[in-house]
Amino acid sequence: KGKCVKYGEDRFQVEIGYNAELIAVFKKIPSKSYDPAMKKWNFSLEDYSGFMEAANQLSSVILAPLEGENAVCLASGSHFVGSRVDVKSLLKMCQNWKKPSALVKGKCVLISRLRFEVDIGYSAEVIGVFKQMESRNYDMNTRKWNFLLLDYPKLMEALQSLVSVEVEPLPKAVIQTFAAQIQRSTSQTDIPDADLSAVDSKIVMSLMPFQREGVNFAILRNGRLLLADDMGLGKTIQAICIAAYYRKEWPLLVVTPSSVRFTWAEAFHRWLPSLSPGSTNVIVTGKDNLTASLINIVSFDLLSKMDKQLKSTFQVVIIDESHFLKNIKTARCRAAMPLLKAARRVILLSGTPAMSRPAELYTQIAAVQPAFFPQFHSFGLRYCDARKMPWGWDYSGSSNLTELKILLEESIMIRRLKSDVLSQLPAKQRKMVVVAPEGISAKTKAVLAAEAKKMAKGYESKQQEKEALLLFYSRTAEAKIHSVVEYILELLESGNDKFLVFAHHKIVLDAIVAELEKRHVEYIRIDGSTPSAERQSLCQKFQFSEKQVVAVLSLTAANMGLTLSAADLVVFAELFWNPGVLIQAEDRAHRIGQTSSVNVHYLVAKGTADDYLWPVIQEKIKVLGEAGLSETNFSKTAESTNYHPKPDPKQKTIYDLFQRTFSESRDDTDEVLLLEAADACSEFDSGSALQDTGGETCSVSPPKKRRIE
């Protein structure tokens, strides 16, 4: 960035940092002169317009024009020339832009913080308009024209005057957020340091530089943001610091997954020593008082049961793992949204902001910035590739992801990946371990093959499909037990002192624990039945023990909120269809405090449900990576992941079945019930089940519904 300034009577000087492309432009100008004392170039005013035109062609350079000179030569009569651009008139353009009779249709899309492109079919008159723009640039790769946001008002005005051309403008939210760039004042890139003198010095001194930036960002945005840092980068400490800045507005409400409620209470006292001992109130039952203390910590599910108490509003609210609010239809989301709309400060924390698709980001954006997209439908059309189907609209796709990412990062979201900030943290190294098929008995193989054959034929109802898949999944768990236990014993023998083992089915967890007890190996076990209050002490035991310890963990109960960085090896005994859950589980070890490289081993058994789950997981991770929402690309970082099932049409059917059943957006409670069903399936006597290939012994509706907290 630089500017032109007057230099004597008839010359001007360019004040700018070094840029090779720009120097090349300087050298072509006849009146050039270099002042070695000032280290700046100056030119005759006669060359000014030619120079500005050449400089504006360079995408890496932004030059402020000479004051008093009208740098823009445009058709007279445009009400955008020379005057400051009126944002209201730009927002008006967002309304009636459709021209049903238009022959050429296109749209404007943001491609960086300063430039936008026009995606449109060929038309000579459109190209004519493009060529009048000083900042025009034609991208040979995408075959599209792009321009500086400065040129947006006059370009849109010119295009809207063409009768046969329809161009969809940038969304309102983009125009409001980037008004400064459109109005040719340079945008602010450095976030000013917030005054944290009123906050406990202990927490302020403990912030790493990037965490301090996160706090500054939040305060600049008036305490409303989505803090989407990667897992293990200390979102909790940043959130506590931001909340402490607004301490005068407390009582504070913290909504978290139930397993980490006590961890939060501990963190508040640790980082804010000035708090009196009784100032945190962890809600344990629906009868507790939600406003009893200065800091009130409640789980998502209890929040939805306590709506009677929600009459009193909180001014400051922290939502941990805010992707839990992705589905507007769930009770937890309906309970939380009014609270967030009423609060002055909303701090959302999520390491995986869109678990699989942009539609799931909508509620989080609406919670922080309700004015951005008042209607979900307009958001869906722009970013979810919304399509009209016979049964209604389908919002499960994704479109214009780059624009969405730039918009969020400029307005409400701050997201740093581990690779950006933790130079001391080595990357994870994944490998896929294909476990020995010898471990699976011939009988079990026959059962799995029969199951697969049945599935390939297809089912009448979705319910039957799901039940069959879950049965297949739990049969896979049984089939793998032998090989999994063997693998763990090998690891122990080869001198691995501390590692994490994740599994999903109770029978797998039980089998691992039984074997460890038999060998007198110390272990900790955290699954759905471990009380929240005990989890922290189990983690401490694992972290600080000198001896050999194995952490045996449930994939769905222990995949978030726990720090087990004393381990640098994570073993997945079973796969899971949601990659977000797997990555969160890996990150129990891959956190701040981890000094060595974390190895992740996925145990995959051929001839089982893993054949279909592994490709499904890889596919989903790829989609997340394209949106910039996951730095983790399984295929690139895993050894030997070129493991794909044989392209056999029968297998293709089952793969599609998995893909379809577990990619549909559905209520979270469904997922919990599915998991319970899977557990119920896995608790039957494996002997009897294997004799009965029909699978009637497994009742898929669990005998009694476990209380979901």
Side-chain angles (χ1 to χ4, degrees):
K1 290 183 184 172
K3 60 180 179 183
C4 302
V5 291
K6 274 278 177 62
Y7 186 76
E9 275 302 295
D10 54 351
R11 294 181 77 77
F12 69 97
Q13 174 172 291
V14 180
E15 297 185 352
I16 194 162
Y18 176 79
N19 177 296
E21 292 176 303
L22 194 59
I23 303 274
V25 170
F26 289 168
K27 289 186 173 164
K28 288 186 189 143
I29 292 176
S31 63
K32 64 181 180 289
S33 162
Y34 181 68
D35 180 343
M38 305 267 293
K39 296 194 174 167
K40 295 197 172 68
W41 292 78
N42 60 70
F43 312 90
S44 161
L45 279 174
E46 289 166 10
D47 290 326
Y48 175 73
S49 57
F51 164 72
M52 283 306 280
E53 193 167 332
N56 282 332
Q57 299 275 339
L58 305 176
S59 56
S60 59
V61 173
I62 302 164
L63 269 184
L66 271 177
E67 285 183 11
E69 295 281 329
N70 193 348
V72 190
C73 315
L74 242 205
S76 56
S78 159
H79 67 275
F80 286 127
V81 176
S83 64
R84 259 180 88 71
V85 176
D86 175 19
V87 176
K88 278 194 185 135
S89 51
L90 286 181
L91 291 173
K92 266 200 195 113
M93 281 186 182
C94 296
Q95 280 152 353
N96 308 316
W97 52 271
K98 292 200 166 159
K99 300 180 188 168
S101 58
L103 304 171
V104 183
K105 297 190 175 186
K107 63 176 178 184
C108 297
V109 183
L110 200 60
I111 54 169
S112 76
R113 290 182 67 246
L114 298 166
R115 299 186 76 84
F116 69 99
E117 75 179 9
V118 182
D119 183 355
I120 195 165
Y122 177 77
S123 145
E125 43 179 357
V126 170
I127 305 284
V129 171
F130 287 171
K131 290 197 168 157
Q132 289 172 30
M133 301 297 139
E134 289 178 4
S135 66
R136 66 185 179 275
N137 177 31
Y138 181 70
D139 185 329
M140 302 295 280
N141 298 329
T142 60
R143 303 210 167 166
K144 290 175 192 150
W145 290 81
N146 61 63
F147 310 88
L148 277 177
L149 280 169
L150 289 181
D151 279 339
Y152 176 76
K154 48 186 190 184
L155 178 66
M156 280 307 286
E157 195 178 34
L159 290 174
Q160 286 192 339
S161 66
L162 302 175
V163 183
S164 61
V165 177
E166 171 190 289
V167 177
E168 179 183 344
L170 292 171
K172 279 187 175 172
V174 172
I175 287 174
Q176 287 161 338
T177 304
F178 290 90
Q181 283 91 315
I182 296 173
Q183 291 171 326
R184 68 187 58 246
S185 57
T186 51
S187 70
Q188 176 183 23
T189 43
D190 293 337
I191 301 172
D193 254 358
D195 172 17
L196 299 178
S197 53
V199 180
D200 285 62
S201 61
K202 179 175 181 185
I203 188 168
V204 179
M205 303 305 289
S206 308
L207 292 172
M208 294 187 194
F210 75 88
Q211 293 172 330
R212 178 71 198 249
E213 262 171 49
V215 174
N216 292 339
F217 176 91
I219 291 167
L220 186 67
R221 301 285 184 282
N222 294 317
R224 296 184 78 93
L225 81 158
L226 168 56
L227 177 55
D229 283 349
D230 232 346
M231 290 156 222
L233 295 191
K235 290 190 287 290
T236 306
I237 182 175
Q238 293 176 68
I240 291 175
C241 188
I242 297 162
Y245 179 83
Y246 296 109
R247 193 161 175 174
K248 290 195 173 76
E249 300 172 15
W250 287 12
L252 165 70
L253 178 68
V254 183
V255 185
T256 81
S258 64
S259 58
V260 292
R261 288 173 295 183
F262 294 94
T263 318
W264 268 93
E266 198 181 285
F268 271 106
H269 288 293
R270 179 170 148 215
W271 294 118
L272 304 176
S274 62
L275 286 175
S276 59
S279 49
T280 50
N281 163 34
V282 178
I283 310 284
V284 188
T285 72
K287 297 189 179 70
D288 293 2
N289 181 358
L290 193 51
T291 50
S293 294
L294 199 55
I295 299 171
N296 303 281
I297 303 171
V298 63
S299 72
F300 283 98
D301 297 304
L302 276 174
L303 181 73
S304 55
K305 296 192 181 85
M306 299 175 79
D307 45 2
K308 305 242 181 343
Q309 289 195 37
L310 295 179
K311 299 285 177 282
S312 58
T313 56
F314 288 90
Q315 291 304 306
V316 188
V317 182
I318 295 176
I319 305 268
D320 188 14
E321 307 293 350
S322 60
H323 49 263
F324 274 34
L325 301 179
K326 64 186 182 187
N327 186 346
I328 192 73
K329 297 190 179 92
T330 53
R332 56 170 72 146
C333 195
R334 285 204 299 269
M337 286 311 270
L339 274 177
L340 297 174
K341 293 219 164 106
R344 287 176 67 180
R345 322 291 172 196
V346 174
I347 306 160
L348 303 187
L349 312 179
S350 171
T352 42
M355 288 295 255
S356 302
R357 46 172 73 97
E360 295 174 0
L361 269 174
Y362 177 75
T363 46
Q364 297 175 70
I365 297 171
V368 180
Q369 264 294 12
F372 261 15
F373 297 99
Q375 260 62 52
F376 171 65
H377 184 64
S378 58
F379 177 86
L381 285 171
R382 184 83 181 175
Y383 302 114
C384 306
D385 193 18
R387 290 157 190 261
K388 186 113 195 288
M389 297 297 191
W391 40 263
W393 285 87
D394 172 14
Y395 297 107
S396 63
S398 60
S399 49
N400 301 325
L401 288 182
T402 310
E403 176 180 281
L404 180 60
K405 184 170 180 265
I406 299 165
L407 170 64
L408 293 180
E409 285 175 348
E410 187 75 8
S411 55
I412 61 170
M413 176 170 97
I414 183 163
R415 173 161 174 78
R416 278 78 54 99
L417 301 178
K418 286 198 187 108
S419 47
D420 304 337
V421 290
L422 278 188
S423 46
Q424 68 270 34
L425 215 174
K428 294 181 242 187
Q429 295 170 52
R430 291 197 181 78
K431 72 175 185 185
M432 192 192 79
V433 181
V434 180
V435 291
E438 304 87 71
I440 302 178
S441 68
K443 209 174 197 177
T444 315
K445 277 186 188 155
V447 172
L448 285 165
E451 206 80 55
K453 202 166 169 184
K454 231 168 44 188
M455 282 163 62
K457 290 188 185 131
Y459 291 92
E460 285 90 50
S461 74
K462 287 226 167 122
Q463 195 50 37
Q464 281 182 324
E465 247 175 41
K466 273 182 191 166
E467 288 177 7
L469 288 175
L470 287 166
L471 186 57
F472 193 34
Y473 184 41
S474 63
R475 290 274 161 89
T476 296
E478 291 172 47
K480 283 170 80 174
I481 288 176
H482 180 79
S483 333
V484 165
V485 168
E486 197 173 61
Y487 188 75
I488 291 169
L489 294 177
E490 281 169 11
L491 286 175
L492 287 166
E493 277 164 32
S494 54
N496 287 288
D497 284 347
K498 284 189 176 182
F499 56 92
L500 317 182
V501 182
F502 281 98
H504 172 60
H505 289 91
K506 188 172 175 299
I507 50 170
V508 181
L509 296 166
D510 289 346
I512 295 169
V513 164
E515 196 64 37
L516 293 173
E517 282 178 346
K518 204 161 91 188
R519 315 252 163 178
H520 306 294
V521 176
E522 286 229 46
Y523 67 91
I524 64 163
R525 174 173 178 167
I526 299 177
D527 58 25
S529 62
T530 315
S532 295
E534 277 173 44
R535 293 181 180 211
Q536 213 45 38
S537 57
L538 286 170
C539 286
Q540 301 291 14
K541 174 183 166 184
F542 181 83
Q543 288 287 75
F544 300 115
S545 158
E546 296 293 318
K547 290 184 288 208
Q548 196 173 39
V549 194
V550 179
V552 183
L553 309 166
S554 149
L555 253 178
T556 45
N559 71 336
M560 50 179 110
L562 306 174
T563 295
L564 297 165
S565 57
D568 57 6
L569 170 62
V570 183
V571 179
F572 285 91
E574 294 182 71
L575 297 179
F576 195 72
W577 51 83
N578 182 342
V581 170
L582 296 174
I583 293 171
Q584 281 192 315
E586 289 179 351
D587 283 298
R588 294 314 94 221
H590 189 236
R591 294 173 88 75
I592 289 179
Q594 176 57 267
T595 49
S596 73
S597 177
V598 175
N599 290 296
V600 184
H601 296 183
Y602 282 92
L603 307 189
V604 175
K606 287 193 173 174
T608 66
D610 293 356
D611 285 349
Y612 313 101
L613 280 168
W614 186 247
V616 169
I617 292 164
Q618 285 185 305
E619 182 60 38
K620 281 192 166 185
I621 286 286
K622 195 169 137 249
V623 172
L624 285 180
E626 285 168 0
L629 294 166
S630 160
E631 68 166 335
T632 324
N633 195 328
F634 271 57
S635 331
K636 280 187 195 148
T637 51
E639 297 172 28
S640 72
T641 46
N642 49 356
Y643 161 69
H644 275 290
K646 309 181 286 295
D648 155 348
K650 182 177 81 184
Q651 291 207 317
K652 179 85 179 85
T653 322
I654 305 176
Y655 170 72
D656 290 343
L657 205 64
F658 262 94
Q659 182 78 321
R660 199 167 60 242
T661 308
F662 294 126
S663 298
E664 283 162 5
S665 61
R666 54 159 192 281
D667 207 86
D668 288 1
T669 47
D670 280 9
E671 187 136 3
V672 179
L673 293 173
L674 278 175
L675 299 178
E676 292 197 341
D679 282 339
C681 288
S682 63
E683 283 164 21
F684 59 79
D685 170 2
S686 45
S688 65
L690 294 179
Q691 289 149 20
D692 170 41
T693 46
E696 273 82 28
T697 46
C698 168
S699 83
V700 176
S701 53
K704 58 177 188 298
K705 192 172 158 197
R706 197 168 64 227
R707 206 166 111 250
I708 304 164
E709 183 154 291

